[in-house]
Amino acid sequence: MAQPSDERPPDQRASGGPDDAADIAAPGRSGTGTITTSVPARLDRLPWSRWHWMIVIGLGTVWILDGLEVTTVGNIAGRLSEPGSGLPITSAQVTGLGAALYVAGACSGALFFGWLTDKFGRKKLFMVTLAVYLGATAMTALSFSPWWFFVFRFLTGFGIGGEYAAINSAIDELIPSKYRGRVDLIINGSYWLGAIGGALLSILALNTGIFPKDVGWRLTFALGVVLGLVILLVRRHVPESPRWQFIHGQGDEAEGLVSDVEKGVETEKGQELPPPAGEITIHERKSVGFGLIAKTVFAHYPKRAVLGLSLFIGQAFLYNAITFGFGAILTKFYDVQSGHTGYYFAVIAAGNFIGPLVLGHLFDTIGRRVMIAGTYILPGVLLFITAWLFDRGSLNATTLTACWCVVLFFASAGASSAYLTVSEVFPMETRAMAIAFFYAIGTAAGGISGPLIFADLTESGVPGDTALAFSIGAGLMCAAGLVAAFLAVDAEGRGLEDIAKPLSQTEKAA
C-alpha cells in the first residue's frame, strides 16, 4: 500500500490531474514575486523541543474547552428547567434548540473563520476566535431569558468552530512531520479531558447544598471563561505559521522566525541541526478565492474529498448513536438516577482520551492507511456486537458503559484522524478552508441529521430501537473504514508540501 514512486498524489495520476501546480496556481494569482525557500524542510527536521510544547499548550488546549462546553450544557439542562434556576427555559429547549444553535454556530464559524484564516493568517484568527468564544461564554453565564441564552449559545459555537479551522491548520504547519500524526490525534482527543471535567463539574454545580440553583450553572460557564483567559495568555507567544508567511509575501519574516527557532533548539539540545532536506520555489500570493479552493479540493483531489467526507460522517453518526440519549438509555433501561449519569459519562470520556494517547504514535509508525481503516472498522464491529448484546438483554449499566468505553477507545483515535487527514492532504493555501468544510459537514451530519434519526429510537424504551441506532452508527463507521483502506494517503513522515503540492509552487520546483 506504499505510495508509488511517482510523487504526484494518487488522485492526480488516476484522473489525469495537473503534473505541476502551475496549472492550478495561475488563475487569480496576485503574488508579489517568486521565492525559493527551505523553510518547510527546516521545520520538519527540528527535534522535539520546548518550543513545540509551547505550541501544543497554546493551541491544543482549546479542545478541552469545547468538551467542557458541550458536556456541561447537556448535564445542567435539567437544572436550568427547574423553578428557581433564574432562567425560564425547558430542558428540551436546552438540549434541542440550544444544542442545534450551538451546532449551527460551529458550522458557520468554521466556514467563516476558515476562509479568513487562509486569507489573513493563522495567528490573527486563532486569537480572534478565542476572543469570540470567551465573550459569548461570559454572556451565556449572565443569561436571564431564553432568547439571550440561545443567541450566545450560537456565538459560542461560532467561536469554537473557527478554532477548529485556525488551530488545526497552524498545528500541522508548525509540528515536524515525524510527530505530526500523534500530536494531532492527542490534541483532538483532549476534547474528552474537557468532557470528563464537564461531567464531574456538573455534579458539583448541581449540588444545591453547595451552590444555589440560580448560581451553580452560571459558575460552570464562568470556569470556561477563566480557562480561556489562561489559554489566551499562553497563545500570545505562539507565532504565525512560517509556511503561511512565505506564500503570502512575508518571506523575510518566515526566514527570521525559523532562524530564531533553530537557534533556540540548538541551544536547548547542545548540538547543531542537520542541513535541511531541500527547497521549494513558490509564487507569493495574497489570497485564494473560493472558486480555486473548490476546484482544488473537488476537481483535483476528488478521492481525498470522498475520504474526508466519509471519515467525518462515519465518526459523527457513531458518536451520536452512543451519546445522543446517553442519559435516557441509562435511566430508562437500567434505572440509573439522572444525577449519577455524569459518573458513567466520565468513564467513557476517559476511554475516548486514552485511545489517541495510546494509539497516536502508531499513525506515524505503522502508517495512516492501516491505522485509520482499523480505528474505524474495529469500533464499528464492536458496536455491532454491543447492539446485539443490548437487544438480547445481556448487559447492565456497568457492562454497557464498559462496552461503550472499549468502542470509543478505538473510535476516538479514528475520529481524531479525520481532522488529521483533511488538514494534511490538501494544498497549504486551502488547508484551513478544507478543515472548515469537512468539519462543518461532519458536525451538521452529527448535530442535525443524527438527532433527527436517533431521537425516537433512543427514547422509545424499546431495546430493539436503541440497538438499531447503535447499528446505524456502526455501519457507517465500518463503511468509512473501508473507504480509508482504499483511499487513505500514506502521509506518515512526509512533509506537507510532498503530500499536497502548494498551489503556488512553480514548475521549476516540481
Side-chain angles (χ1 to χ4, degrees):
M1 294 183 183
Q3 198 82 338
S5 57
D6 184 349
E7 287 298 321
R8 284 176 293 152
D11 358 7
Q12 291 186 2
R13 292 194 302 273
S15 62
D19 286 341
D20 57 69
D23 293 335
I24 52 177
R29 181 182 294 154
S30 56
T32 58
T34 300
I35 66 168
T36 298
T37 179
S38 60
V39 161
R42 291 163 66 189
L43 288 170
D44 281 336
R45 60 85 148 93
L46 291 174
W48 192 262
S49 66
R50 288 191 295 266
W51 185 76
H52 296 107
W53 277 117
M54 181 264 294
I55 292 169
V56 169
I57 295 171
L59 299 183
T61 43
V62 73
W63 273 255
I64 297 176
L65 291 180
D66 191 15
L68 183 71
E69 271 289 323
V70 175
T71 308
T72 297
V73 172
N75 285 327
I76 68 173
R79 174 54 45 82
L80 288 175
S81 64
E82 294 177 2
S85 71
L87 188 62
I89 196 170
T90 67
S91 178
Q93 286 178 315
V94 176
T95 58
L97 180 58
L101 287 171
Y102 181 86
V103 169
C107 294
S108 53
L111 294 171
F112 177 70
F113 287 120
W115 173 65
L116 293 180
T117 297
D118 278 335
K119 184 178 179 64
F120 295 111
R122 291 24 174 161
K123 183 177 178 66
K124 290 179 182 177
L125 270 298
F126 61 61
M127 298 297 286
V128 170
T129 53
L130 184 55
V132 171
Y133 163 81
L134 288 172
T137 301
M139 291 298 101
T140 303
L142 302 177
S143 295
F144 58 89
S145 68
W147 71 264
W148 181 281
F149 180 82
F150 294 143
V151 166
F152 288 104
R153 287 309 294 158
F154 175 86
L155 291 176
T156 300
F158 196 71
I160 286 292
E163 285 277 292
Y164 274 90
I167 302 306
N168 263 316
S169 56
I171 287 172
D172 278 4
E173 290 168 9
L174 292 169
I175 298 299
S177 57
K178 178 180 178 181
Y179 307 102
R180 189 174 61 239
R182 72 197 74 180
V183 170
D184 203 298
L185 260 69
I186 292 171
I187 285 176
N188 279 284
S190 68
Y191 169 97
W192 294 100
L193 284 177
I196 296 171
L200 298 179
L201 179 64
S202 65
I203 296 172
L204 177 66
L206 298 182
N207 187 336
T208 53
I210 302 176
F211 301 109
K213 282 186 177 182
D214 61 342
V215 174
W217 66 268
R218 299 182 190 275
L219 292 178
T220 62
F221 290 108
L223 178 62
V225 175
V226 173
L227 292 176
L229 287 172
V230 173
I231 294 172
L232 188 64
L233 292 175
V234 177
R235 191 173 287 186
R236 290 182 308 156
H237 303 290
V238 177
E240 179 58 84
S241 163
R243 284 178 156 101
W244 183 90
Q245 286 178 320
F246 71 68
I247 282 181
H248 289 78
Q250 300 176 24
D252 291 341
E253 291 87 340
E255 292 287 339
L257 171 58
V258 175
S259 294
D260 289 341
V261 173
E262 289 172 329
K263 292 176 183 176
V265 171
E266 288 179 336
T267 299
E268 177 185 342
K269 302 299 181 182
Q271 60 185 28
E272 291 187 3
L273 294 170
E279 299 177 330
I280 63 170
T281 300
I282 59 99
H283 290 286
E284 296 174 319
R285 62 166 73 224
K286 294 299 183 183
S287 63
V288 178
F290 278 116
L292 182 55
I293 290 173
K295 179 181 178 182
T296 301
V297 173
F298 294 103
H300 295 289
Y301 293 95
K303 294 181 181 179
R304 298 183 184 193
V306 170
L307 173 66
L309 288 171
S310 300
L311 296 182
F312 268 92
I313 292 174
Q315 60 89 21
F317 272 89
L318 177 132
Y319 271 93
N320 271 274
I322 292 177
T323 60
F324 191 84
F326 169 86
I329 293 172
L330 292 176
T331 56
K332 287 182 179 180
F333 292 102
Y334 303 115
D335 296 323
V336 175
Q337 295 180 24
S338 59
H340 293 168
T341 59
Y343 293 111
Y344 292 89
F345 191 84
V347 172
I348 67 169
N352 272 284
F353 175 67
I354 294 172
L357 190 65
V358 172
L359 302 176
H361 73 100
L362 299 178
F363 286 77
D364 287 322
T365 54
I366 293 177
R368 304 285 200 266
R369 187 186 303 267
V370 171
M371 290 305 300
I372 294 173
T375 52
Y376 271 76
I377 295 174
L378 180 57
V381 171
L382 291 174
L383 187 56
F384 273 126
I385 296 172
T386 301
W388 176 70
L389 292 172
F390 179 86
D391 189 34
R392 66 194 301 265
S394 301
L395 300 174
N396 56 35
T398 301
T399 54
L400 176 61
T401 301
C403 288
W404 281 338
C405 197
V406 174
V407 168
L408 296 175
F409 172 86
F410 296 103
S412 181
S416 295
S417 74
Y419 292 93
L420 168 66
T421 297
V422 299
S423 67
E424 67 181 1
V425 302
F426 296 106
M428 205 214 75
E429 297 91 335
T430 69
R431 182 162 294 123
M433 269 305 298
I435 297 167
F437 173 78
F438 290 105
Y439 167 78
I441 293 295
T443 302
I448 299 174
S449 303
L452 290 175
I453 294 173
F454 296 134
D456 293 336
L457 293 177
T458 56
E459 294 177 4
S460 69
V462 179
D465 289 346
T466 299
L468 175 59
F470 291 168
S471 298
I472 292 172
L476 288 173
M477 196 73 170
C478 288
L482 292 174
V483 171
F486 289 97
L487 300 184
V489 179
D490 301 312
E492 59 276 3
R494 297 170 61 191
L496 295 173
E497 292 73 22
D498 180 43
I499 300 168
K501 188 182 300 180
L503 304 185
S504 307
Q505 190 168 347
T506 68
E507 293 182 45
K508 177 181 177 181

